[in-house]
Amino acid sequence: MEIDQQYRALTVDTLSQRVGGVEAVASRVGGEPASWEIREVGDGNLNLVFIVSGSHGSVVVKQALPYVRMVGESWPLPIYRAHFEYYALIRQAKRAPGIAPEVYHFDKPQALIVMEYLHPHTILRRKLINGERVVRLGEIIGQFCARTAFRGSELSLSSPEKKQDVGLFSGNVAIPAITESLVFTDPYYGAEMNHHTPELSPVVDELRRNARLKAKVQRLLMKFTANTETMLHGDLHSGSIMATDTDVRVIDPEFSQYGPMAFDLGMAVANFLMAYFSQPAHRQEGELEAYQAWILEVIEACFSSFDAEFRYLWQTERTGILFPKALFEEQGNSADDACDALLEEIRLDALAYCGIEMHRRCCRWPTTPTLKRSTTLGCAPSLKRAMR
Amino acid sequence: MEIDQQYRALTVDTLSQRVGGVEAVASRVGGEPASWEIREVGDGNLNLVFIVSGSHGSVVVKQALPYVRMVGESWPLPIYRAHFEYYALIRQAKRAPGIAPEVYHFDKPQALIVMEYLHPHTILRRKLINGERVVRLGEIIGQFCARTAFRGSELSLSSPEKKQDVGLFSGNVAIPAITESLVFTDPYYGAEMNHHTPELSPVVDELRRNARLKAKVQRLLMKFTANTETMLHGDLHSGSIMATDTDVRVIDPEFSQYGPMAFDLGMAVANFLMAYFSQPAHRQEGELEAYQAWILEVIEACFSSFDAEFRYLWQTERTGILFPKALFEEQGNSADDACDALLEEIRLDALAYCGIEMHRRCCRWPTTPTLKRSTTLGCAPSLKRAMR
């Protein structure tokens, strides 16, 4: 793994000096860099995350470390993952405006992104544990998935633009490889880092004995690795979503890759379903049923909003090489049935990815989840790793 | 389109001077370069093709031109297609040894490949028109498709190796784009360069009215553009196959890209089927039926040999990340059913690609095919273009 010679990990003491000269940062934070308040909030496993505050406002500074922080330099992980996080963030901003944190500055050799400080947002996983509701949560996640799925595909992009992007993202090798083994393969045999609660052993054994199921899962892995339909978030669980009671944002796309349209939707729904099933551990009866009913509404809204937004874009923005209007509308044929058929395929694959993610969360759990800070963007990476 | 400043098109007069110093070439041709016999045989639409002969033997020198030769500089076509032809040739040599022409020398800035001179091979299309049989034709084509499909996929390759290759081939934009429009879209509406014989008008009109069919075709285009399962030849018709009575070789992979496993098989079978249907124009009754029966045997052999070889590699070389033995054999589960299910999917998609290619050959035929020279490798590109 090559690291740029210039690369130096930031510290609370060096940050203002090293980033203070960047106009896009200085103008947003305000005041003298030497007077900035700087907190390192990445208690996390992978990255350094700083919240930098001044007289005007705050920004988040995120820098990739060349190894897994909680393990140490013995577990290297390429810092180029920050490049792909940046590429994904700016594409999401274009394809689904207003959902990803805004990027103010990107320093490639330093693997460093300066971005919007989301406040007073908290990680959605914490809200689901606390029993808090978020207005339009399912609608916004479904819409985000549909917009990124449609606008990142050749339904919208030109063939050269899409191929160039697939080429770019094919450089992100190390991170998708984690998903490939961790989600699709490890849970289905006695992989080294597996862990499950003893009570689940009969279920886990049954999964691992079921050759037909394992074959289906591997067929979906084949789609995940090879089917570059659109740019995915790649890790869209409730630890990658931040929210207030009325605002929903999606963070941390460092697992981004081109992959199947159904993947993000399926992962999101899996995490909502797991929140549903875990509610009895968090809530009293009475309160429990109402909150679980709300989670089911979120899931329904996810699917229906995905479909509605995808259909809308199909009608209004189908300018790519796929299903061109010259073959349908311009010959007096509706393309609605083709859209419905594609949506049906996406829904079935999303449910399959959903099931696989739920298997994984039961069988492949390296550490007991510990919920530490959950009030800032900074906690997200650590939270996400802890929940893995 | 950028062309390297150094690029200069070869001529019969400059070739020996420019290529004579290359040891890999000089040692195979033999004698003084000044005394080499050099024939330009690319009567063709796209490339310069020379046969260079000396005291030891002959080689083929193929150089891409930066425009479509038969049209002129007004129709530019990037010379980087020669790079992808080279990348494909060396991968085919590794994955399916003995079928592609051996590469002796590659000069990237000159978009120039020096390769094996196939002799006394002729283009298979000519043989099919002449009513000549080729021993084991279907077996060898099916086996070639299976070997390249399996060994170019993550059934065999590691995840990083595959992603790197997908990234590399994503640079081949201009050439796959030809297939995308020419094969999958143009035939199904009144595209500018379409042409069909007037007698076919009712059939063509019916194709273009059939919204369900067009939707299926576009779904297969979506797989073709996005589903990077394996490295394809990309243009495997009977003009890309050279043969003697007993030897079969596959040439001209400049349309190579990563795509669906079923594509090459489907294209090959389409071209055999079209040869079948065109036989009444070439042969007397009596002779006709026997030769058509032989073509059907070739098609059956194509499919059965693809299946047999793919199953064999599945058992013996499944070392990639997909369907790993840890999930099947090592847990006492057979993975045979998974292989059969994948082969069934490949067969169905191959038949779909086969049908699409047959539609295209009826509706999208820019010029009347003219069969000129058909005795050398050099004629292949022109033949192929003429048949488009």
Side-chain angles (χ1 to χ4, degrees):
Chain A
M1 178 179 52
E2 285 177 48
I3 298 173
D4 193 289
Q5 289 295 319
Q6 296 174 274
Y7 175 86
R8 295 284 178 281
L10 288 168
T11 67
V12 167
D13 296 331
T14 60
L15 189 143
S16 63
Q17 201 192 344
R18 288 181 55 195
V19 182
V22 177
E23 171 56 24
V25 179
S27 63
R28 276 180 180 88
V29 179
E32 276 303 302
S35 70
W36 288 350
E37 186 201 336
I38 300 168
R39 286 179 294 148
E40 213 282 90
V41 296
D43 56 353
N45 309 348
L46 289 178
N47 303 300
L48 295 168
V49 183
F50 304 88
I51 297 175
V52 181
S53 303
S55 54
H56 286 16
S58 300
V59 301
V60 164
V61 177
K62 183 171 176 183
Q63 186 182 35
L65 284 167
Y67 50 83
V68 178
R69 189 180 181 182
M70 68 185 298
V71 177
E73 301 192 14
S74 62
W75 186 347
L77 200 65
I79 60 169
Y80 64 59
R81 64 187 188 274
H83 309 165
F84 294 101
E85 177 165 0
Y86 166 71
Y87 302 145
L89 284 170
I90 57 173
R91 281 159 180 76
Q92 289 171 348
K94 208 174 135 199
R95 295 173 189 170
I99 303 297
E102 187 183 349
V103 173
Y104 303 136
H105 177 65
F106 172 54
D107 184 332
K108 191 172 172 180
Q110 298 299 333
L112 183 157
I113 305 169
V114 183
M115 66 182 108
E116 187 181 358
Y117 171 56
L118 299 179
H119 184 81
H121 299 67
T122 57
I123 289 293
L124 179 65
R125 177 164 291 133
R126 167 55 65 193
K127 288 185 177 293
L128 295 171
I129 291 169
N130 289 350
E132 294 163 30
R133 287 170 173 78
V134 176
V135 174
R136 297 189 66 236
L137 174 60
E139 283 86 337
I140 289 165
I141 294 301
Q143 192 183 62
F144 172 80
C145 290
R147 287 181 176 176
T148 52
F150 190 95
R151 290 177 175 152
S153 79
E154 279 158 319
L155 290 166
S156 165
L157 299 176
S158 74
S159 176
E161 195 181 0
K162 167 82 179 346
K163 284 195 177 66
Q164 194 176 12
D165 240 29
V166 169
L168 178 71
F169 278 81
S170 70
N172 195 11
V173 172
I175 300 291
I178 295 175
T179 308
E180 290 162 8
S181 57
L182 187 124
V183 175
F184 290 94
T185 302
D186 289 0
Y188 302 97
Y189 78 109
E192 201 182 339
M193 290 181 70
N194 286 1
H195 179 75
H196 61 262
T197 44
E199 295 79 0
L200 282 176
S201 286
V203 181
V204 171
D205 291 346
E206 201 182 311
L207 280 184
R208 292 186 186 156
R209 271 195 307 265
N210 190 333
R212 195 157 154 259
L213 175 105
K214 289 182 286 188
K216 285 260 177 199
V217 171
Q218 288 297 306
R219 186 65 187 89
L220 281 145
L221 170 57
M222 192 171 162
K223 286 190 187 183
F224 177 73
T225 62
N227 207 352
T228 65
E229 285 172 358
T230 194
M231 191 193 78
L232 306 178
H233 178 282
D235 199 25
L236 189 53
H237 54 68
S238 55
S240 294
I241 299 172
M242 295 189 78
T244 65
D245 294 349
T246 55
D247 190 47
V248 178
R249 308 293 293 267
V250 172
I251 62 169
D252 276 1
E254 66 194 322
F255 281 70
S256 186
Q257 66 172 81
Y258 274 78
M261 287 187 173
F263 187 76
D264 283 345
L265 181 63
M267 292 293 267
V269 168
N271 281 270
F272 291 135
L273 267 177
M274 285 182 290
Y276 173 90
F277 287 115
S278 68
Q279 288 305 316
H282 302 301
R283 239 153 300 291
Q284 308 290 337
E285 270 191 54
E287 193 195 8
L288 174 65
E289 285 182 13
Y291 195 67
Q292 282 187 316
W294 177 75
I295 295 178
L296 293 184
E297 283 167 26
V298 169
I299 293 170
E300 285 179 13
C302 247
F303 280 113
S304 62
S305 140
F306 183 96
D307 281 9
E309 183 66 15
F310 197 93
R311 271 199 195 93
Y312 175 75
L313 296 172
W314 182 275
Q315 297 297 342
T316 56
E317 294 188 16
R318 211 170 76 246
T319 54
I321 59 163
L322 299 177
F323 300 89
K325 297 202 169 178
L327 262 57
F328 296 94
E329 288 85 345
E330 290 171 17
Q331 292 190 57
N333 293 134
S334 164
D336 290 356
D337 289 349
C339 182
D340 287 348
L342 187 55
L343 281 172
E344 178 65 14
E345 275 193 69
I346 292 172
R347 193 162 32 238
L348 290 175
D349 278 0
L351 288 169
Y353 287 121
C354 169
I356 293 166
E357 168 70 352
M358 292 176 76
H359 290 165
R360 191 271 291 196
R361 293 275 178 179
C362 299
C363 312
R364 181 63 167 77
W365 196 302
T367 55
T368 307
T370 51
L371 288 171
K372 300 181 186 173
R373 289 168 242 164
S374 60
T375 50
T376 66
L377 176 59
C379 73
S382 58
L383 241 181
K384 288 164 54 182
R385 297 328 140 198
M387 298 303 282
R388 282 225 137 140
Chain B
M1 179 180 50
E2 284 177 49
I3 299 173
D4 193 289
Q5 288 294 318
Q6 297 175 271
Y7 174 85
R8 296 283 180 280
L10 288 167
T11 67
V12 168
D13 296 331
T14 60
L15 190 143
S16 63
Q17 199 191 346
R18 290 180 55 193
V19 182
V22 178
E23 172 55 25
V25 179
S27 63
R28 276 182 181 86
V29 179
E32 277 304 302
S35 69
W36 289 351
E37 185 201 337
I38 300 168
R39 286 178 294 147
E40 214 281 271
V41 295
D43 54 355
N45 309 348
L46 289 177
N47 303 300
L48 294 169
V49 183
F50 303 87
I51 297 175
V52 181
S53 303
S55 54
H56 285 17
S58 299
V59 300
V60 164
V61 176
K62 183 171 175 183
Q63 186 181 35
L65 283 168
Y67 50 84
V68 177
R69 191 181 181 182
M70 68 185 296
V71 178
E73 302 193 12
S74 63
W75 187 347
L77 200 66
I79 59 168
Y80 64 59
R81 64 187 188 274
H83 309 165
F84 294 102
E85 177 165 1
Y86 166 71
Y87 301 144
L89 284 170
I90 57 173
R91 282 160 180 75
Q92 289 170 348
K94 209 174 135 196
R95 295 173 189 168
I99 303 297
E102 187 183 349
V103 173
Y104 303 136
H105 177 65
F106 172 53
D107 184 332
K108 191 172 174 182
Q110 299 298 333
L112 183 156
I113 305 169
V114 183
M115 65 182 109
E116 186 180 358
Y117 171 56
L118 300 179
H119 186 80
H121 299 67
T122 57
I123 290 292
L124 180 65
R125 177 163 291 132
R126 169 54 67 194
K127 288 185 176 292
L128 294 170
I129 290 169
N130 289 350
E132 295 163 31
R133 287 171 173 79
V134 176
V135 173
R136 296 189 67 236
L137 174 60
E139 283 86 336
I140 289 165
I141 294 301
Q143 192 184 61
F144 173 80
C145 290
R147 287 181 176 176
T148 53
F150 190 95
R151 291 177 175 152
S153 80
E154 280 158 319
L155 290 167
S156 166
L157 299 176
S158 74
S159 176
E161 195 180 0
K162 167 82 179 346
K163 284 194 176 65
Q164 196 177 10
D165 240 30
V166 169
L168 178 71
F169 278 81
S170 70
N172 195 11
V173 172
I175 300 291
I178 294 175
T179 308
E180 289 162 9
S181 57
L182 187 124
V183 174
F184 290 94
T185 302
D186 289 359
Y188 302 97
Y189 79 108
E192 201 182 338
M193 290 181 69
N194 286 1
H195 180 74
H196 59 263
T197 45
E199 294 79 1
L200 282 176
S201 285
V203 180
V204 171
D205 291 346
E206 201 181 310
L207 280 184
R208 291 186 186 155
R209 271 197 307 266
N210 190 333
R212 194 155 155 260
L213 175 105
K214 288 182 287 187
K216 285 261 178 198
V217 171
Q218 288 297 305
R219 186 66 187 87
L220 282 145
L221 170 58
M222 192 171 160
K223 286 190 188 183
F224 177 73
T225 62
N227 208 353
T228 65
E229 284 172 358
T230 195
M231 191 193 78
L232 306 178
H233 177 282
D235 199 25
L236 189 53
H237 54 68
S238 54
S240 294
I241 299 170
M242 294 187 80
T244 64
D245 293 350
T246 56
D247 190 46
V248 179
R249 307 293 293 267
V250 172
I251 63 169
D252 276 0
E254 65 193 321
F255 280 70
S256 185
Q257 65 171 82
Y258 272 80
M261 288 186 174
F263 187 76
D264 284 344
L265 181 63
M267 292 293 268
V269 168
N271 281 270
F272 291 134
L273 267 177
M274 287 182 291
Y276 172 90
F277 287 115
S278 68
Q279 287 305 317
H282 302 301
R283 239 153 299 294
Q284 309 289 338
E285 267 190 58
E287 191 194 10
L288 174 66
E289 284 181 13
Y291 195 67
Q292 282 188 316
W294 176 75
I295 295 177
L296 292 184
E297 283 168 26
V298 169
I299 293 171
E300 285 178 13
C302 246
F303 279 113
S304 62
S305 141
F306 183 95
D307 282 9
E309 183 67 14
F310 197 93
R311 272 200 195 93
Y312 176 74
L313 296 172
W314 181 276
Q315 297 298 340
T316 56
E317 294 188 15
R318 211 169 77 247
T319 55
I321 60 164
L322 299 178
F323 300 89
K325 298 202 168 179
L327 262 57
F328 295 95
E329 288 84 345
E330 290 171 17
Q331 293 190 57
N333 293 134
S334 165
D336 291 355
D337 289 349
C339 183
D340 287 348
L342 187 56
L343 281 171
E344 177 64 14
E345 276 193 69
I346 292 172
R347 191 162 33 240
L348 288 175
D349 279 359
L351 288 169
Y353 286 121
C354 169
I356 292 167
E357 169 71 351
M358 291 177 76
H359 290 165
R360 192 269 293 195
R361 293 275 178 179
C362 298
C363 311
R364 179 65 168 78
W365 196 302
T367 54
T368 308
T370 49
L371 288 171
K372 299 182 185 172
R373 288 167 244 167
S374 60
T375 50
T376 66
L377 177 60
C379 73
S382 60
L383 241 182
K384 287 164 55 183
R385 297 329 140 196
M387 299 302 285
R388 280 224 137 140

